[in-house]
Amino acid sequence: MNKAIVILECKMEGIVDMIYRIKQFLWYIISPFKPIDYNFLKSYLDKEEMKLFSSLKSGEKQHCIRVAKASLQYINNEESSEICSSLDKAWFMKVCLLHDIGKKFGSLSIIDKSLLVIINKLFKDKMNKYMNVKKIDVYYNHPIKGYEYLKQLNKYDERFLYLIKNHHNYKVKGDEMLNILVHFDNLN
């Protein structure tokens, strides 16, 4: 009986993941028609960062804003958590808003992204040999590209850069701040 429950839970997890992916696809499609929340951005990004943020495609901008807003809502509702109560929210919102800045180095259409998500599910670790294809490289390596770009600006502390660099590194365990970023990145 336990084996059946585990199988059912795995299937449900797959269905929920698929629903989130469909939702992300639809969000990306409508993003060019949805106005950017510049008031929210101006609350957390300085002029230079606003310019940097504007280099992202509309869908990526909307995604980063959704990640930041969802993270902020979670942090505000979890004040009892030690990490949430001591967290510099403005600093973390900046992390959330700039977490995908490495995507500025290559353009992925919604079709490219959808195909890469499917290919990743099917062939996970076999994509390394295709990193010379720019779209695949940006899809898999945008956290590193963003980290390297932001690091050379000499503006961000090591913790900030660590979160940018590792927001797709699922091997890191026990880092609550990174977990918040990863969770809301995946949901949005």
Side-chain angles (χ1 to χ4, degrees):
M1 188 67 165
N2 286 342
K3 191 174 186 180
I5 291 171
V6 170
I7 291 170
L8 181 60
E9 285 176 352
C10 287
K11 286 185 179 187
M12 290 302 293
E13 203 173 282
I15 291 168
V16 169
D17 185 48
M18 184 174 58
I19 290 168
Y20 279 121
R21 291 298 180 179
I22 292 168
K23 198 162 129 179
Q24 287 173 332
F25 180 86
L26 294 173
W27 276 336
Y28 200 90
I29 295 292
I30 65 167
S31 66
F33 308 104
K34 187 174 185 214
I36 300 293
D37 187 346
Y38 286 105
N39 290 330
F40 183 78
L41 293 174
K42 288 176 186 174
S43 298
Y44 301 107
L45 301 179
D46 65 27
K47 198 172 186 178
E48 182 183 349
E49 292 161 340
M50 288 288 286
K51 187 175 180 184
L52 180 59
F53 187 82
S54 71
S55 68
L56 293 172
K57 291 177 83 172
S58 179
E60 299 303 338
K61 291 177 194 172
Q62 296 288 6
H63 163 74
C64 291
I65 291 169
R66 283 192 307 274
V67 169
K69 286 182 173 182
S71 297
L72 183 60
Q73 183 177 12
Y74 173 80
I75 291 164
N76 287 336
N77 291 335
E78 294 295 322
E79 287 293 338
S80 59
S81 161
E82 186 180 323
I83 190 77
C84 291
S85 62
S86 65
L87 183 63
D88 177 347
K89 292 176 189 173
W91 176 88
F92 193 63
M93 289 303 95
K94 194 175 294 232
V95 170
C96 292
L97 290 168
L98 297 177
H99 80 276
D100 274 344
I101 205 64
K103 290 182 178 179
K104 79 183 226 93
F105 297 104
S107 182
L108 290 173
S109 72
I110 188 61
I111 301 301
D112 296 331
K113 194 181 267 189
S114 299
L115 289 173
L116 284 168
V117 165
I118 293 166
I119 290 167
N120 185 53
K121 287 279 184 200
L122 296 173
F123 303 107
K124 285 188 186 193
D125 299 325
K126 297 181 175 118
M127 295 303 292
N128 287 339
K129 60 184 169 186
Y130 300 106
M131 289 301 172
N132 60 332
V133 177
K134 189 169 186 170
K135 290 178 188 262
I136 293 173
D137 179 50
V138 168
Y139 178 76
Y140 284 102
N141 296 314
H142 72 272
I144 303 293
K145 291 176 182 303
Y147 162 83
E148 290 169 351
Y149 179 78
L150 294 174
K151 184 175 178 140
Q152 59 94 25
L153 295 177
N154 294 318
K155 183 175 180 172
Y156 304 99
D157 63 50
E158 283 303 315
R159 182 70 176 142
F160 187 102
L161 295 169
Y162 174 86
L163 293 170
I164 300 292
K165 180 180 177 181
N166 288 289
H167 78 269
H168 281 287
N169 182 351
Y170 301 105
K171 294 176 185 169
V172 176
K173 303 289 181 211
D175 185 327
E176 192 174 351
M177 219 182 296
L178 182 60
N179 291 344
I180 293 168
L181 177 60
V182 168
H183 177 74
F184 291 106
D185 184 32
N186 289 338
L187 283 182
N188 288 286

